[in-house]
Amino acid sequence: AQKITQTQPGMFVQEKEAVTLDCTYDTSDPSYGLFWYKQPSSGEMIFLIYQGSYDQQNATEGRYSLNFQKARKSANLVISASQLGDSAMYFCAMRENTGRRALTFGSGTRLQVQP
Amino acid sequence: KAGVTQTPRYLIKTRGQQVTLSCSPISGHRSVSWYQQTPGQGLQFLFEYFSETQRNKGNFPGRFSGRQFSNSRSEMNVSTLELGDSALYLCASSLVSQGAQDTQYFGPGTRLTVL
């Protein structure tokens, strides 16, 4: 069964610094997708970035990049130049290509950006 | 393009009642998924609909049901509400219902409180 682990319940970072949020996953399916979402206190889940299991390069989207290490089954999110508005919960999620299409989410990391 | 919309945003019910939540997907999206988010259990998949058919279902009791209309709008219903049903219910839409890379975009959620 697929599983997502986020070991950092909370993180602090200074404004303008970079921060890495950890995510490890477990799956026996060779084809899968990894997603990161941001959830502000308002509750809406905002899609940030996607990485496919067969993608050769790490995904990047503006200030977000994904450090994908397939052999280690890790997909860490890197946020560069943190801003106060980045303070939120961050969820790593995975979907396998076969079987059920549901996203499996990790427990999340609460990021607080300090001025 | 308008995002996923959910109504109502907040709802207060008492035990034993039933409730219907509504979700309108992004225009052109045909797949709608529902998730329940609680502090204790995190984000859990309820079900997915595509072309008015339930494609996948999570491990929830039969009190939780849903449907999808021909315009892709979806509703979920919870009958005989229990205190444990208090949660944020998130709806997500995506273009199709295949492949690991099909990104799900979430709505703002409906916060249900059961008294």
Side-chain angles (χ1 to χ4, degrees), chain B residues 89-102:
Chain B
Y89 290 88
L90 292 161
C91 166
S93 77
S94 62
L95 269 173
V96 294
S97 183
Q98 61 184 18
Q101 74 279 10
D102 188 34

Side-chain angles (χ1 to χ4, degrees), chain B residues 3-64:
Chain B
V4 179
T5 59
Q6 291 186 244
T7 57
R9 293 293 310 279
Y10 302 91
L11 209 47
I12 299 175
K13 293 285 188 179
T14 57
R15 280 180 299 174
Q17 288 186 311
Q18 75 165 15
V19 66
T20 299
L21 312 181
S22 180
C23 171
S24 292
I26 293 171
S27 178
H29 284 192
R30 297 172 63 190
S31 173
V32 173
S33 297
W34 290 88
Y35 295 83
Q36 181 197 64
Q37 185 178 25
T38 60
Q41 299 298 317
L43 283 145
Q44 293 185 287
F45 170 72
L46 281 157
F47 27 64
E48 180 200 11
Y49 286 87
F50 179 78
S51 292
E52 302 177 66
T53 302
Q54 187 180 89
R55 295 287 286 261
N56 292 291
K57 190 176 190 306
N59 297 321
F60 279 82
R63 300 186 297 108
F64 292 81

Side-chain angles (χ1 to χ4, degrees), chain A:
Chain A
Q2 54 182 316
K3 186 177 178 182
I4 296 284
T5 303
Q6 294 180 255
T7 57
Q8 306 154 313
M11 291 275 287
F12 288 91
V13 65
Q14 290 294 120
E15 197 176 6
K16 299 181 184 178
E17 290 186 349
V19 63
T20 298
L21 307 183
D22 294 341
C23 172
T24 58
Y25 60 91
D26 188 26
T27 178
S28 57
D29 194 330
S31 178
Y32 51 89
L34 296 158
F35 302 80
W36 276 91
Y37 288 87
K38 170 185 178 181
Q39 188 177 41
S41 55
S42 60
E44 182 173 357
M45 298 284 282
I46 301 168
F47 166 70
L48 296 177
I49 197 167
Y50 164 81
Q51 180 84 45
S53 59
Y54 292 121
D55 292 344
Q56 295 297 312
Q57 294 188 329
N58 288 340
T60 60
E61 287 286 350
R63 294 187 298 111
Y64 305 107
S65 61
L66 205 151
N67 184 0
F68 180 47
Q69 297 188 46
K70 193 171 181 177
R72 294 186 177 183
K73 293 189 174 179
S74 74
N76 299 339
L77 176 70
V78 180
I79 305 174
S80 63
S82 296
Q83 302 172 356
L84 295 178
D86 293 335
S87 295
M89 282 291 289
Y90 288 81
F91 291 93
C92 179
M94 178 175 69
R95 181 196 295 125
E96 295 169 336
N97 199 35
T98 57
R100 207 173 71 175
R101 276 190 34 86
L103 286 170
T104 297
F105 286 87
S107 55
T109 296
R110 181 171 296 282
L111 177 65
Q112 296 187 56
V113 181
Q114 297 176 318

